[in-house]
């Protein structure tokens, strides 16, 4: 199998609107180009094909040489028709594109579709051919549409200048019932000078066209079962790859949604924690108030006991010495502190308790002084 890099020059001039080829010159040309691209890429997996247009506002490279058949075929859609074909500029740009090919081991080939008049002189065309021959570039010419002796003469002169060991070819396809692709499929452009066989090239081209023959993938499994199987396996692998990519995209979307939900849940949890913290602080304040109330109640109870004892002894009035002893006990601050320490929830070192004990001691001393004065009066 020949290892080639091919540039195809497309004629998208105003002449391509003519309907002498069904359904039009341009569409017939597009179908033939699709078949050629399929045959080239199928004959060798390392073959590459590029496309450029020669009319319109100027020569425009649609795609540089690539082995991606889908990318190549996609470039054929939506092309604009108009202007005049510039054959010389198209071939020169194609030559530059082949010069910058990635695999330098690939042989170079240019395929030109000429469906409109050629404005260049014969000598200029011959110079282009000689330059291609010098750079070892083969040239295939497809002359269709415009029947003009001057055009045919120029194209034949171009072929003579570039041809080297019959590696270049000239195909003339007159208007008629036969489609452009039907004529080319049996030409050396497809057969590759006998290498690979016309049967394989035709099957590969039909496969690239996508069902021209009516069979799956455009290939009759009875004629080439291996190619049909290879195409079917390739299609299944591509379908599996697309399904896997779709599943990954769906999973990524689901993960992003879960991430958003987790983020929202985290924010809700944070707000809940803040609310819980606020409630805890409120409870703490409430507990502090309750503890203070209990402390005050305990202090009141501790104050009421000696007060009741004092009242009982004052009522008895039978033993004034007992009253004096009680006052001494209450006046003993350390003793009272030890009693308070035994009470639950009471801290003797609390400043309020200390102030209370100090006031109690002062009160006891005053009562003792009053007791002494009473004794003296008696």
């Amino acid at each position: 199998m020949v290892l080639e890099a091919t540039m195809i020059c497309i004629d998208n001039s105003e002449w391509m609107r003519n309907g002498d080829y069904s359904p039009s010159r341009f569409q017939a040309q597009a179908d033939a180009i699709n078949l050629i691209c399929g045959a080239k890429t199928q004959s060798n997996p390392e073959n590459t094909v590029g496309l450029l247009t020669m009319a319109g506002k100027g020569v425009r490279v649609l795609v540089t040489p690539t082995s991606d058949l889908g990318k190549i075929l996609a470039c054929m859609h939506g092309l604009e028709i108009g202007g005049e074909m510039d054959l010389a500029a198209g071939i020169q740009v194609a030559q530059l594109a082949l010069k910058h090919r990635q695999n330098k081991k690939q042989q170079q080939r240019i395929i030109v579709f000429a469906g409109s008049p050629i404005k260049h002189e014969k000598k200029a065309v011959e110079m282009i051919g000689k330059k291609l021959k010098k750079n070892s570039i083969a040239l295939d010419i497809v002359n269709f549409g415009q029947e003009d002796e001057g055009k045919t003469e120029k194209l034949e002169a171009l072929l003579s200048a570039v041809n080297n060991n019959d590696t270049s070819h000239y195909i003339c396809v007159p208007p008629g019932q036969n489609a452009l692709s039907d004529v080319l499929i049996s030409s050396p452009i497809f057969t590759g000078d006998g290498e690979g066989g016309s049967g394989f090239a035709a099957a590969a081209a039909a496969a690239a066209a996508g069902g021209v023959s009516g069979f799956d993938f455009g290939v009759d499994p009875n004629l080439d079962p291996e190619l049909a199987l290879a195409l079917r396996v390739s299609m299944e692998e591509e379908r599996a790859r697309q399904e896997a990519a779709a599943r990954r995209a769906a999973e990524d979307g689901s993960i992003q949604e879960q991430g958003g939900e987790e983020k929202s849940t985290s924010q809700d949890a944070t707000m809940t924690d803040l609310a819980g913290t606020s409630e805890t602080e409120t409870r703490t304040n409430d507990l502090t108030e309750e503890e203070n109330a209990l402390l005050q109640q305990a202090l009141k109870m501790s104050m009421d006991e000696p007060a009741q004892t004092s009242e009982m002894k004052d009522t008895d009035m039978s033993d004034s010495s007992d009253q004096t002893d009680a006052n001494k006990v209450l006046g003993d601050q350390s003793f009272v502190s030890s009693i308070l320490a035994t009470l639950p929830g009471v801290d003797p070192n609390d400043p309020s308790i200390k102030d209370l004990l100090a006031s109690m001691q002062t009160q006891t001393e005053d009562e003792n002084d009053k007791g002494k004065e009473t004794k003296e009066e008696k």
Side-chain angles (χ1 to χ4, degrees):
M1 292 183 293
V2 180
L3 178 61
E4 280 187 340
T6 305
M7 282 296 297
I8 300 178
C9 300
I10 304 171
D11 187 353
N12 61 324
S13 65
E14 193 69 31
W15 295 83
M16 294 299 101
R17 300 184 187 276
N18 291 351
D20 48 356
Y21 294 84
S22 179
S24 65
R25 287 188 186 181
F26 183 80
Q27 188 59 48
Q29 176 187 214
D31 293 340
I33 290 174
N34 289 341
L35 293 176
I36 292 175
C37 292
K40 292 292 184 181
T41 55
Q42 291 290 337
S43 63
N44 192 319
E46 295 185 10
N47 279 354
T48 57
V49 180
L51 301 175
L52 63 81
T53 56
M54 297 183 291
K57 296 180 180 180
V59 176
R60 183 165 67 97
V61 177
L62 302 178
V63 59
T64 56
T66 178
S67 58
D68 188 350
L69 182 59
K71 185 177 181 181
I72 297 170
L73 298 179
C75 295
M76 294 299 299
H77 297 286
L79 291 181
E80 295 182 357
I81 298 176
E84 295 182 356
M85 178 185 68
D86 191 343
L87 179 65
I91 293 177
Q92 291 174 356
V93 172
Q95 181 180 353
L96 291 174
L98 292 175
K99 182 179 180 180
H100 293 88
R101 67 194 184 282
Q102 294 182 352
N103 187 356
K104 300 301 182 182
K105 294 182 179 180
Q106 292 173 323
Q107 297 183 17
Q108 306 173 78
R109 180 175 296 275
I110 297 176
I111 301 177
V112 174
F113 281 82
S116 57
I118 299 175
K119 61 182 180 180
H120 307 290
E121 297 293 334
K122 182 179 178 180
K123 292 184 179 180
V125 172
E126 289 178 343
M127 291 179 62
I128 295 174
K130 291 179 181 180
K131 186 175 182 181
L132 294 178
K133 183 177 181 179
K134 181 180 179 181
N135 293 323
S136 301
I137 300 176
L139 177 66
D140 292 335
I141 303 173
V142 180
N143 182 13
F144 69 106
Q146 188 69 22
E147 294 184 359
D148 185 355
E149 293 182 0
K151 174 187 174 184
T152 302
E153 183 181 359
K154 293 176 183 178
L155 292 178
E156 289 178 350
L158 175 61
L159 177 69
S160 299
V162 70
N163 195 14
N164 184 17
N165 297 326
D166 293 331
T167 56
S168 299
H169 310 95
Y170 172 81
I171 308 298
C172 182
V173 184
Q177 295 180 353
N178 294 330
L180 185 60
S181 57
D182 293 339
V183 176
L184 294 179
I185 204 168
S186 59
S187 68
I189 295 177
F190 278 90
T191 60
D193 296 326
E195 298 183 15
S198 60
F200 176 81
V212 173
S213 60
F215 297 101
D216 291 339
F217 313 109
V219 178
D220 186 355
N222 297 321
L223 297 178
D224 198 336
E226 294 181 359
L227 178 60
L229 178 60
L231 291 172
R232 186 176 294 105
V233 171
S234 178
M235 182 62 68
E236 292 295 334
E237 290 178 351
E238 178 64 17
R239 185 180 296 110
R241 185 190 66 79
Q242 293 178 357
E243 291 177 355
R247 284 196 300 270
R248 285 196 299 270
E251 290 175 358
D252 292 342
S254 178
I255 290 174
Q256 292 179 357
E257 291 179 359
Q258 291 179 0
E261 292 178 358
E262 290 177 357
K263 184 176 180 181
S264 177
T265 304
S266 176
Q267 293 177 351
D268 294 341
T270 303
M271 296 299 294
T272 303
D273 293 340
L274 293 174
T277 303
S278 178
E279 292 177 359
T280 302
E281 293 177 353
T282 304
R283 293 195 192 99
T284 303
N285 294 333
D286 295 341
L287 291 175
T288 303
E289 294 177 357
E290 292 178 0
E291 290 176 355
N292 291 334
L294 291 174
L295 178 59
Q296 293 177 2
Q297 183 178 359
L299 289 174
K300 184 177 180 182
M301 290 174 63
S302 64
M303 291 172 60
D304 289 344
E305 289 179 358
Q308 291 175 1
T309 303
S310 176
E311 289 176 358
M312 290 175 63
K313 291 185 178 181
D314 289 340
T315 304
D316 188 36
M317 296 297 291
S318 61
D319 191 358
S320 59
S321 61
D322 293 339
Q323 182 180 0
T324 302
D325 293 337
N327 291 334
K328 289 181 180 180
V329 171
L330 294 173
D332 189 353
Q333 187 174 358
S334 61
F335 178 73
V336 175
S337 297
S338 64
I339 293 175
L340 293 176
T342 60
L343 297 175
V346 179
D347 184 8
N349 296 322
D350 189 89
S352 60
I353 294 178
K354 289 183 178 182
D355 294 339
L356 179 60
L357 293 177
S359 64
M360 288 175 61
Q361 185 176 4
T362 303
Q363 182 179 359
T364 303
E365 291 177 355
D366 293 341
E367 290 179 354
N368 290 336
D369 293 339
K370 289 181 181 180
K372 289 180 182 181
E373 293 177 357
T374 303
K375 288 182 180 180
E376 289 177 358
E377 290 176 359
K378 290 181 179 180

